[in-house]
Amino acid sequence: MAPDQGAARLTPAQRLAWLRLIRTENVGPATFRQLINRFGSAEAALEALPSLIRRSGKSVRIASQSEAEDEIAGLTRYGARLVASSDPDYPPLLHYIPAAPPLLTLAAGPNLDWQRTVGIVGARNASAAGVKMTRLLATDLGDRGYTIVSGLARGIDAAAHQATLTTGTVAVLAGGFDRIYPAENIPLAHAILDHGGALLTEMPLGWEPRARDFPRRNRLVSGLSLGIVVVEAAKRSGSLITARFALEQNRDVFAVPGSPLDPRAEGGNALIQQGAKLITSAADIIETLGSADPSRSALFDRDWEPDPAPDAPPPSADDKSRLLAALGPTPIEVDELVRQSGLSAASMQMLLLELDLAGQIEWSSGQLVALRY
């Protein structure tokens, strides 16, 4: 979704409605946006949800007003705040990724440049050489005015944050603001805030991070960054997931080469073989990022947004059967589903909302949909 430069900050009532909607069970960023597109506002979507839930055939819990108010009050006690995608202080690069979070929890000071950002990720069990290289790269980038983004994990992430405490760093959390993982990095999180950096998450207060939440975090690490640097990574690692997200988001990917004898270098070396830029210094990164332009990505231009049609008749059981027959485990564009099924855009939107609320489909990159098995 391209940023709306004229967007106004939400009113308190609108912010509560947005929070209730995104905290409703089975409502993620893609579903949130489709509900807003379909009904025009979060308030109207909340009014329509009970009917949609009944049609889905599943029991789905809608977040209550008091729960939303309690979360906002809790964040205030922690010195954090909710930032909506329509707010002027929403991280600008996130506007250019598919399924960007409509709401973020953010605690941040003034020592940040959200436009000039580099993500640094790598192995939790990093080597001494990997940690040293990370510190060199992060320090040089910070001294050149770049904000460093990472995931507050052990190893490479922690080294990147520590090296840029005084120049600006952003830690993206996989859990709630009060559930920092790993616990050993809680002092580092406090140091980041004390030095004017930022902690950021899309998860609610009290949320203990699960395995599936770390890839969600990784897409934000890459989405907040002009480019991603992989220092050390095994063949199957979260760092490679972050690199894949960066490629999907049309961001630059860099990798530090390593010894073929070190398993921690396999992932980075493989990225270089696949086209990632080999780097040996911060200058290699800066040279490439000088022409980086996240808005060049066409992803947000292809977002599927049929015009709201509140008075359209509800789709029939036959319509639903046709859609289910067209869906499969392989993600497919919604526009293609409309063509293949012969359903109207309005019927397609309603059916996908019902299936999404029932937990029967999942979204890939915010635009492709597949059956969940």
Side-chain angles (χ1 to χ4, degrees), residues 95-357:
H95 283 295
Y96 297 104
I97 72 169
L103 282 173
L104 293 169
T105 296
L106 180 65
N111 191 22
L112 293 173
D113 185 340
W114 293 95
Q115 298 276 9
R116 301 179 76 226
T117 48
V118 178
I120 299 181
V121 297
R124 292 188 297 273
N125 62 332
S127 68
V131 169
K132 180 179 179 179
M133 186 64 177
T134 298
R135 288 174 176 161
L136 288 171
L137 291 172
T139 298
D140 287 351
L141 287 165
D143 289 343
R144 296 288 293 271
Y146 285 89
T147 296
I148 298 303
V149 182
S150 199
L152 202 68
R154 301 179 182 95
I156 299 300
D157 289 24
H161 291 308
Q162 288 164 345
T164 52
L165 286 175
T166 59
T167 55
T169 188
V170 177
V172 185
L173 310 178
F177 193 78
D178 55 343
R179 294 294 187 270
I180 292 173
Y181 179 89
E184 68 196 61
N185 280 345
I186 291 176
L188 176 56
H190 290 163
I192 290 170
L193 293 178
D194 290 343
H195 286 83
L199 301 183
L200 179 150
T201 183
E202 64 180 318
M203 307 309 286
L205 275 177
W207 188 271
E208 291 284 355
R210 307 158 300 173
R212 73 180 78 169
D213 297 320
F214 291 94
R216 291 184 62 174
R217 174 204 63 186
N218 294 349
R219 97 186 192 285
L220 295 184
V221 171
S222 58
L224 287 161
S225 307
L226 292 171
I228 286 290
V229 181
V230 177
V231 178
E232 288 182 335
K235 256 188 149 179
R236 298 177 183 274
S237 68
S239 300
L240 296 192
I241 293 174
T242 308
R244 176 173 58 80
F245 280 127
L247 291 171
E248 290 178 357
Q249 296 162 355
N250 212 14
R251 307 299 162 85
D252 291 295
V253 177
F254 309 90
V256 175
S259 169
L261 301 177
D262 188 346
R264 289 169 294 199
E266 284 186 284
N269 290 343
L271 285 174
I272 293 169
Q273 289 177 321
Q274 295 161 15
K277 182 166 183 179
L278 184 155
I279 59 164
T280 58
S281 69
D284 299 329
I285 301 167
I286 294 168
E287 179 184 7
T288 299
L289 292 185
S291 59
D293 179 12
S295 67
R296 69 182 183 265
S297 171
L299 286 173
F300 59 81
D301 291 328
R302 297 200 306 267
D303 280 347
W304 186 71
E305 294 185 17
D307 293 331
D311 299 325
S316 66
D318 181 60
D319 291 337
K320 188 172 185 177
S321 297
R322 286 158 61 193
L323 174 56
L324 288 171
L327 282 167
T330 302
I332 185 171
E333 292 183 352
V334 178
D335 286 339
E336 184 61 28
L337 277 178
V338 171
R339 284 191 290 269
Q340 289 190 21
S341 67
L343 296 170
S344 68
S347 293
M348 178 66 68
Q349 187 179 43
M350 288 295 291
L351 287 169
L352 288 175
L353 285 171
E354 291 173 18
L355 293 173
D356 210 353
L357 289 169

